[in-house]
Amino acid sequence: MAITSANQLELLQTAEAVAREKMIDPDLVIQAMEETLARAAKSRYGSELDIRVNIDRKTGRATFARVRTVMEDELIENHHAQLTVKQAKNYLADPQIGDEVIDEVPPVDLGRIAAQSGKQVLLQRVREAERDRQFEEFRDRKGTIINGVVKREEYGNVIVDVGRGEGILRRNEKIGREAYRIGDRIRCFIKDVRREPRGPQIFLSRTDPQFMAELFKMEVPEIYDGIIEIKAVARDPGSRAKIAVISYDNSIDPVGACVGMRGSRVQAVVNELQGEKIDIIPWNQDQATFLVNALQPAEVSKVVIDEEAGKIEVVVPDEQLSLAIGRRGQNVRLASQLTGLDIDIMTEAEESARRQAEFAERTKLFMDALDVDEMMAQLLVAEGFTNLEEVAYVELDELLSIDGFDEGTAAELQARARDNLEEQARKALETARGMGMEESLINFEGLTPQMLEALAKDGIKTLEDFATCADWELAGGWTTENGQRKKDDGILETFDVSLEEAQTLVMTARVMLGWVDPTDMDPAEDDAEAAEAGA
């Protein structure tokens, strides 16, 4: 095929037709045609030449040109496509590095092989442009709901026609035992859009919590308008869900607005989710109040929050236990997902028994360590004393405030507590030395004898051993495995050593050993191991 005046216009018409069919920019098709013609010209004039083709966007006229680039002498690699400044002076008045010498060459005829090769290039470029368009279009729609038609099923995964592309609804993203037939209309959540070698992949979901949030946004105008906000969603797909909402307008009830007149709004969402029961809960900034709401319909007697551990204890009446836990632990599990806390549920009887056990344990501790009778030990526990350190080093006035305690009694109790602590320290140090702990670690500032004993029992006996520890190994921490928070016990955790304190101790040891330059120490840098373990 020769590029003549007879078929110049045909190039533009072909580009327009292909662009319209594939819904891409016509200029991209023309660029692909230019590349095709350039490849054909290179096969005619020589592959080492830099041949470029320009198709006029108005007339369709194709211009073939040989291009040579001006380069430094020592960088010349291809004399057919590059030339020196001296050589360029034959063509340009004042040649500079990077200038181009352009010579027009005669158009070429596309032979059968060249035409076939050009067609492949054209098709490939068009496919790439189509993929880019599809990726850009659906990338912006990530996190929204899309309607599609079931096209086919592959190994339990549903392929959905979503208009200008195909999405995949994986087996684990379907609700319960959902089954679809070819041609069924389906509504899905666009969970992710990724570039892959075979083209952009659109991953759909019907189990994602945000699918339910987007459905409510469609059914409840107040959410769409921003008057009501969805703060958290937790789902057990196909069975039950909890959604926390808050209203920024005091005159609008967020729960009532989501339920709708006679439950019309929530029922529309329930029908789409195959009958999934939905608890709509008012969100509250106070964690305890929010949790009480989240555990509905169960009643809660008391809430105790451990913020450091990210755990929460909930006490419920005995008859409410099964309701609070729910079928197969569903209610407490969803409440935990909604609040982001680990929840321990116990009955009032269990909590009472635990408190009594703690009271008896501390009473016995004071009786044995301070050599006092049960009445006096119980008085100390009742006043909030939990260990010997508190008795030994508290202000004397606090002991004198206890009924029946005079100055002599208080002073004697403090002396006995200090003597007992000193004896414990002596024994702990003796044990550590007996297990082979070196003096370099024993003399290390910041570690008590009891801490040294705990380290020795864990095999840490030298300053070098201590310096290789990660902060979470000493202070403990929390990791998340398969969505479940798991506790990592620290060697010094029982001594209330925080992660920051553990890091300071370890870094100080490393400086003493010369492993770390003190001027390079950055408190913002954590151990890589600590980052993996997660505090």
Side-chain angles (χ1 to χ4, degrees):
M1 181 182 89
I3 305 299
T4 64
S5 58
N7 56 26
Q8 285 175 0
L9 201 57
E10 193 178 320
L11 282 175
L12 295 181
Q13 292 172 345
T14 302
E16 287 284 350
V18 172
R20 197 162 44 248
E21 179 187 348
K22 300 295 185 181
M23 302 184 73
I24 59 177
D25 186 354
D27 195 57
L28 293 173
V29 182
I30 294 177
Q31 289 176 18
M33 288 179 169
E34 290 173 341
E35 185 180 336
T36 299
L37 294 172
R39 286 168 64 97
K42 282 186 178 182
S43 65
R44 165 76 181 275
Y45 295 115
S47 59
E48 66 277 3
L49 270 62
D50 183 3
I51 303 291
R52 301 179 192 176
V53 178
N54 179 61
I55 297 176
D56 192 291
R57 276 20 177 201
K58 292 181 180 178
T59 65
R61 181 176 181 272
T63 304
F64 290 72
R66 175 192 179 188
V67 180
R68 287 175 289 175
T69 306
V70 179
M71 301 188 69
E72 296 178 9
D73 295 10
E74 61 271 15
L75 297 179
I76 298 290
E77 294 179 355
N78 181 358
H79 291 282
H80 296 282
Q82 300 166 339
L83 54 135
T84 65
V85 174
K86 184 178 180 181
Q87 291 170 335
K89 287 180 179 178
N90 297 325
Y91 308 96
L92 302 173
D94 183 25
Q96 303 293 324
I97 301 298
D99 287 351
E100 293 179 340
V101 176
I102 301 174
D103 301 315
E104 191 168 339
V105 295
V108 298
D109 292 338
L110 285 182
R112 183 178 60 82
I113 295 175
Q116 188 66 26
S117 173
K119 182 180 178 182
Q120 293 298 326
V121 172
L122 179 61
L123 289 174
Q124 182 180 348
R125 290 290 296 272
V126 168
R127 274 197 299 266
E128 289 173 358
E130 192 178 10
R131 286 172 179 173
D132 288 340
R133 175 202 54 77
Q134 185 175 321
F135 176 76
E136 293 299 327
E137 177 184 345
F138 285 98
R139 180 182 64 174
D140 294 337
R141 298 179 66 181
K142 179 180 174 182
T144 63
I145 288 177
I146 193 169
N147 293 313
V149 177
V150 175
K151 200 169 183 180
R152 63 185 182 278
E153 190 169 350
E154 297 177 352
Y155 307 107
N157 303 324
V158 177
I159 308 302
V160 181
D161 184 349
V162 290
R164 298 179 185 175
E166 286 184 354
I168 179 170
L169 179 65
R170 295 183 184 275
R171 187 185 324 175
N172 60 336
E173 298 290 350
K174 294 192 292 185
I175 297 175
R177 299 185 182 87
E178 279 184 332
Y180 297 102
R181 292 176 296 184
I182 295 174
D184 283 354
R185 295 198 64 80
I186 185 173
R187 185 183 284 180
C188 299
F189 177 75
I190 301 179
K191 190 172 184 178
D192 196 11
V193 181
R194 294 201 296 262
R195 285 186 188 272
E196 294 196 358
R198 58 187 175 186
Q201 292 293 299
I202 304 163
F203 296 96
L204 307 174
S205 174
R206 284 176 56 80
T207 60
D208 193 284
Q210 288 306 309
F211 179 48
M212 189 173 77
E214 288 296 315
L215 287 173
F216 269 103
K217 189 181 293 185
M218 294 170 67
E219 296 293 337
V220 184
E222 291 87 348
I223 296 177
Y224 183 83
D225 294 337
I227 300 171
I228 294 174
E229 182 186 353
I230 297 173
K231 300 292 286 187
V233 182
R235 287 183 65 192
D236 193 348
S239 177
R240 194 172 176 188
K242 291 179 183 284
I243 180 168
V245 291
I246 184 173
S247 173
Y248 295 111
D249 186 336
N250 293 332
S251 64
I252 295 177
D253 171 26
V255 176
C258 292
V259 171
M261 188 73 70
R262 296 179 182 175
S264 58
R265 291 175 174 177
V266 71
Q267 193 57 46
V269 178
V270 168
N271 292 341
E272 179 62 42
L273 299 178
Q274 305 294 323
E276 194 169 309
K277 295 177 182 176
I278 302 173
D279 295 335
I280 303 173
I281 295 160
W283 184 83
N284 196 294
Q285 192 170 5
D286 179 63
Q287 275 189 329
T289 305
F290 181 34
L291 182 62
V292 171
N293 294 339
L295 282 169
Q296 292 177 1
E299 297 176 8
V300 176
S301 305
K302 188 191 298 183
V303 174
V304 181
I305 297 177
D306 183 348
E307 292 183 355
E308 185 177 340
K311 291 185 67 175
I312 196 163
E313 287 183 354
V314 176
V315 181
V316 298
D318 292 21
E319 67 277 6
Q320 294 280 317
L321 181 63
S322 59
L323 191 61
I325 294 174
R327 186 179 179 187
R328 293 193 294 274
Q330 187 182 63
N331 193 54
V332 69
R333 184 171 67 252
L334 290 175
S336 178
Q337 291 174 17
L338 203 67
T339 58
L341 293 167
D342 283 341
I343 302 172
D344 289 336
I345 292 186
M346 63 179 68
T347 63
E348 291 174 344
E350 289 172 339
E351 194 221 7
S352 176
R354 191 187 69 175
R355 289 191 175 279
Q356 288 177 7
E358 288 178 354
F359 190 88
E361 183 182 344
R362 289 170 184 167
T363 299
K364 187 175 187 307
L365 167 69
F366 290 139
M367 289 174 64
D368 294 343
L370 302 177
D371 192 21
V372 296
D373 59 23
E374 187 177 11
M375 179 70 73
M376 186 172 288
Q378 287 178 345
L379 281 171
L380 287 170
V381 177
E383 287 295 321
F385 290 94
T386 59
N387 54 55
L388 288 175
E389 285 82 356
E390 291 178 357
V391 176
Y393 302 111
V394 75
E395 292 293 332
L396 197 63
D397 290 345
E398 289 197 36
L399 288 173
L400 291 174
S401 66
I402 302 175
D403 288 342
F405 278 39
D406 55 25
E407 192 167 333
T409 304
E412 177 62 23
L413 283 176
Q414 284 200 321
R416 291 183 185 182
R418 288 169 183 167
D419 288 345
N420 191 284
L421 289 172
E422 288 174 5
E423 179 62 19
Q424 287 182 22
R426 187 189 64 77
K427 289 182 178 179
L429 197 58
E430 192 176 295
T431 302
R433 281 198 172 101
M435 296 179 73
M437 180 167 283
E438 294 185 0
E439 292 298 318
S440 60
L441 187 54
I442 291 174
N443 296 327
F444 183 74
E445 189 175 347
L447 296 177
T448 66
Q450 286 86 347
M451 290 180 183
L452 293 171
E453 181 182 14
L455 290 169
K457 288 179 179 177
D458 208 79
I460 299 169
K461 301 176 182 179
T462 67
L463 191 61
E464 288 81 359
D465 292 341
F466 186 74
T468 59
C469 291
D471 49 12
W472 62 268
E473 288 181 291
L474 299 176
W478 292 83
T479 53
T480 302
E481 291 183 5
N482 301 321
Q484 298 292 322
R485 283 172 62 82
K486 178 185 173 186
K487 184 72 177 67
D488 291 321
D489 295 327
I491 304 169
L492 304 180
E493 187 173 355
T494 54
F495 303 100
D496 294 327
V497 175
S498 68
L499 273 170
E500 291 75 17
E501 291 169 340
Q503 186 182 31
T504 301
L505 289 170
V506 170
M507 292 304 291
T508 302
R510 292 173 183 175
V511 169
M512 289 175 64
L513 291 167
W515 295 357
V516 176
D517 187 337
T519 59
D520 294 337
M521 286 178 63
D522 183 359
E525 289 183 10
D526 292 329
D527 276 334
E529 294 170 289
E532 292 175 5

